[in-house]
Amino acid sequence: MPLDDDLEVRLRAMRSDTDEFPPHSADLVQRSIARGRRMRLIRATRVAAVTAAFALITAGSTLMATDAFGIRGGDGNPDRLRAGASTRSTERPPSHEPSSISGQEMTHTLESLLPPGGTVSAASGRGSRSDGPVVWPTAQLTYSTEHGSSGIDITIARLESGTPADQQQGQAGCLPVEVRPYDKCTTEKLPGGAVLNTTRSFTYPNSATGQKRWYVVLTSPDGVQLTVQQFSGGGEKGSSSGADPLLSIAQLTSVVRSPVWERAIAAVPAPRGAPFPSTGASTGASTGKKRVPGARMTRVLKSHLPQGGTVSGLDSGDGMAQLIYDDGHGKNMVEADAQYDRTALLAGHMGCADVPGECEATTLADGTQVKKVRGPSEKGGSAVVWLVDTLRPDGRRVVAREVNSYAEAGPVTRPQPALSMDELLSLVLDKEFFTD
């Protein structure tokens, strides 16, 4: 699908954490960076937004200190990897201004949690940013021992406020087997309400061979999400070896659960104008952002499917609906995303410049911009993607895409997608998406 994940990585992901980036568009890159990992993973088939999709909660919370991540007393981490690693939390008085953390501090913290005896190279980090577009703190490096190397990185973000952790998308959650047939994924609810997801996967999800990608996602009840991922043999796509990564899933879990990330969590910026709840409190306040209800998304999408077929694998939420449709000639993944206020974000990106495959861009009599694309899957393999993207003059956008497989990274299950381009166009122009 469209978004890589900075991560190609994360298909269910990024729903609200990511539901607003256009396939084959410039905002694609943004979504990759923030939601990428899950989108590459999870909503590798989903359009998502990074900066605008998240209604973020304040950076002043002290989630870890209050056991939001299930950490109990002391350093809360009996499996801590490096002896002597600092676990003392930083005491901070309540403030309406988020603290800051540098990329160098992010890198140093990640290094401090790695097993002793190895060497670190190619280390880099990115600090928080409180002005302009939201920027999540990240760190990445290559960790090597006599047994080989692993590329390791971590990202800290805040998801939409007021949504329970087990309902958040982001990079968390186990994907259906139809979407990720070779993943080994577990979900655990921790004391305090945090959710821990662990996944053993592959860099290229359409096979059970090649470079392995293991990752752990920890999501607090208040929407703080830590994602650490590891690639065997070095950086992402840097090796074809099938060897296991150097750190076990248990060790990766220890990394994300360490209290030493508390300062970085506090430094995650909230968007301009977002309310800052009191320290340690969850906010259930609505952000006021308009979304198309998931039930409506599902109803409209289903109404445009040819009769006589079967539907399975339904995955829907506000602004998106995805399912697998089978007309008796093979499974076909179909997805629709609907968003408001996309004019500025998509300015200049409703044309066919730099779009791979066959592309046609037109403008309807009412001013609605339409882009039709037939192209190869961005996840590799032989599947093809058919996409119709529309942007109305008032900024409302609907994009539909389908793949001639049950997943973009899956094997081809039919010669071509089930719905014609005209049928996809009829779907995205349906006024029932926006009845308010």
Side-chain angles (χ1 to χ4, degrees), residues 177-201:
V177 66
E178 293 88 355
V179 176
R180 301 286 296 200
Y182 307 112
D183 281 11
K184 295 181 180 179
C185 179
T186 66
T187 299
E188 176 186 2
K189 193 161 187 177
L190 303 175
V195 175
L196 180 72
N197 287 101
T198 68
T199 305
R200 292 177 173 86
S201 186

Side-chain angles (χ1 to χ4, degrees), residues 25 31 55 57 135 155 201 232 253 322 358 402-403 408 436:
S25 294
R31 179 191 106 175
I57 61 175
V135 174
T155 299
S201 186
S232 61
T253 299
Q322 181 186 87
E358 301 177 18
E402 60 177 336
V403 183
E408 187 164 346
D436 48 321

